[in-house]
Amino acid sequence: MTEKKHYGFTTTILHGDRQKGIEHGSLHKPIHTSVAFGYADARQLASVFQGKEPGFRYGRQGNPTISALEEKVNKMEQGVGTICFATGMGAIGAVVQALLRAGDHVVSSSFLFGNTNSLWQTAMTQGIGVSFVDATDVANVEAAITDNTRVVFVETIANPRTQVADLKRIGELCQARGILYVVDNTMTTPYLFQPKAVGAGLVVNALTKSIGGHGNALGGSITDTGAYDWTRFPNIYENYKKAAPLQWGLAQIRAKALRDFGSSLAPDAAHHIAVGAETLALRMQRTTANALALAELLEKDERVAAVYYPGLKSHPQHGISAELFRAHGSLLSFELKDGLDCFDFLNRLKLAIPASNLGDNRTLIIPVAHTIFYEMGAERRASMGIAESLIRVSVGIEDTDDLLDDFCTALEGC
């Protein structure tokens, strides 16, 4: 396997580690637990700290196991560099911590994961302005931009109502205005979609979800796609401008968010995620097929009031999803008709598990308004289109017939 030959998505992930050689012929990068790294030449140690040559400084800023995962994710997103964090929220928080200052302004999709919404609310208390808009139409984003807008932030497919942002036209707008475009790719994964294709400068992935895939490790990442010109970003400190402009953003993020803030990924978690990532394509093929089959079944059921899944032709952004994504994702949500108790329905399920994670091999299901979106309050939920009866489903890799039968049986009991 050579760098010159272009391999497919899964082949690249499976064999990428071996391109640099692994000790003792191991097929997996081993787990390096050391937090300190010694150098025979003290001058080399100083050179590494000054950024004049590559090397490891201290475990908080990375180690060989984490570096191997960063390279793996970077190849998935076709980026120029990737930094891994302890969690997906740690990665999103790095955008605030490392790149934004009081007086800056952010335009964010109003259709957000609950914790991301909470993070922007916190940023607002620290002097950063945030405008929440319906990002399914680029006109709403454009209308919210001000002279101080530094970042436009969207999710590819919104969690939990599955709205799809106007990704391509927002990217064109950001490029024309010199604004950093940050796209959370967690719900699509790099297998279904690479935001670099629509001009995203930074791509966020919650590695905990589908990339890791097994619900056994927390992690997050930021990938610089190379699409953004960092000379247009006013918040880069002078000491991070020593390298080529292409490296400015990640250099500041690694220092200000990872080194200073300490949201470091653990080596054992990095190993779990790296191994899980090897089967990402296979799992996404199964989960997206299952999700479409389940969405179609629910849409036909008389006890279901509404189904939200981009793969359905009835979905408002079905066309965008079909144009940009390899498949429509493994997340869907639905509402039962008035008078039916969502908790009674959930308790009838035998395979789908009431739990809050996403992207697991197992199908996970949760009543949104009563759990993960409870803290934001009824008014904010209503503004995001989240009904009190909304049920979110993260579809797993179960045999399709077994999964559909589980939902059919539970619905028949309503």
Side-chain angles (χ1 to χ4, degrees), residues 155-357:
E155 297 175 2
T156 50
I157 300 175
N159 168 17
R161 264 286 309 275
T162 75
Q163 298 95 334
V164 181
D166 195 354
L167 292 160
K168 184 177 180 180
R169 293 200 295 168
I170 294 174
E172 292 168 350
L173 172 66
C174 289
Q175 186 172 15
R177 299 289 187 91
I179 297 171
L180 177 61
Y181 186 24
V182 182
V183 176
D184 186 332
N185 198 29
T186 300
M187 291 298 100
T188 31
T189 78
Y191 176 68
L192 298 185
F193 177 61
Q194 292 166 336
K196 179 179 181 177
V198 294
L202 295 180
V203 179
V204 172
N205 280 288
L207 305 176
T208 311
K209 314 304 183 188
S210 297
I211 291 178
H214 293 72
N216 60 0
L218 293 168
S221 65
I222 289 180
T223 299
D224 188 327
T225 68
Y228 182 69
D229 179 4
W230 288 100
T231 64
R232 304 180 74 174
F233 197 75
N235 293 351
I236 300 295
Y237 295 93
E238 288 301 319
N239 53 323
Y240 303 118
K241 294 182 179 181
K242 297 175 183 178
L246 195 65
Q247 301 175 28
W248 291 359
L250 285 185
Q252 185 158 308
I253 291 170
R254 189 174 289 277
K256 292 298 179 183
L258 195 59
R259 182 196 67 193
D260 294 358
F261 213 56
S263 54
S264 307
L265 180 65
D268 56 343
H271 179 75
H272 280 303
I273 294 166
V275 174
E278 294 177 354
T279 58
L280 173 62
L282 304 180
R283 289 182 285 104
M284 292 305 294
Q285 290 166 10
R286 182 60 169 264
T287 59
T288 56
N290 275 354
L292 179 59
L294 180 58
E296 291 174 338
L297 178 141
L298 293 170
E299 190 175 45
K300 295 174 183 176
D301 196 286
E302 62 182 10
R303 288 151 294 207
V304 175
V307 183
Y308 307 102
Y309 181 66
L312 296 175
K313 293 182 179 179
S314 58
H315 192 283
Q317 291 87 46
H318 173 74
I320 294 177
S321 183
E323 176 188 356
L324 294 179
F325 307 150
R326 190 192 297 256
H328 304 279
S330 56
L331 180 81
L332 65 88
S333 58
F334 66 98
E335 301 167 20
L336 294 173
K337 287 190 174 177
D338 290 343
L340 300 181
D341 190 301
C342 68
F343 292 100
D344 288 343
F345 167 76
L346 292 170
N347 289 338
R348 291 190 186 95
L349 292 164
K350 303 301 181 184
L351 294 179
I353 306 166
S356 62
N357 191 25

Side-chain angles (χ1 to χ4, degrees), residues 85-95 97 220-222 257 261 263:
F85 297 84
T87 65
M89 286 308 304
I92 298 173
V95 175
Q97 177 71 14
S221 65
I222 289 180
F261 213 56
S263 54

Side-chain angles (χ1 to χ4, degrees), residues 3-64:
E3 289 284 2
K4 295 181 179 180
K5 181 175 176 60
H6 177 73
Y7 290 92
F9 186 90
T10 297
T11 304
T12 299
I13 296 170
L14 279 173
H15 296 281
D17 287 346
R18 297 193 300 113
Q19 291 186 47
K20 290 195 171 183
I22 307 178
E23 303 93 309
H24 313 298
S26 172
L27 297 186
H28 291 289
K29 191 72 174 177
I31 303 175
H32 292 266
T33 59
S34 180
V35 299
F37 304 90
Y39 292 86
D41 185 341
R43 290 183 179 86
Q44 185 184 13
L45 173 64
S47 184
V48 169
F49 265 77
Q50 293 169 20
K52 296 177 180 178
E53 63 177 290
F56 297 101
R57 309 174 188 180
Y58 183 65
R60 191 181 338 113
Q61 294 168 259
N63 78 8

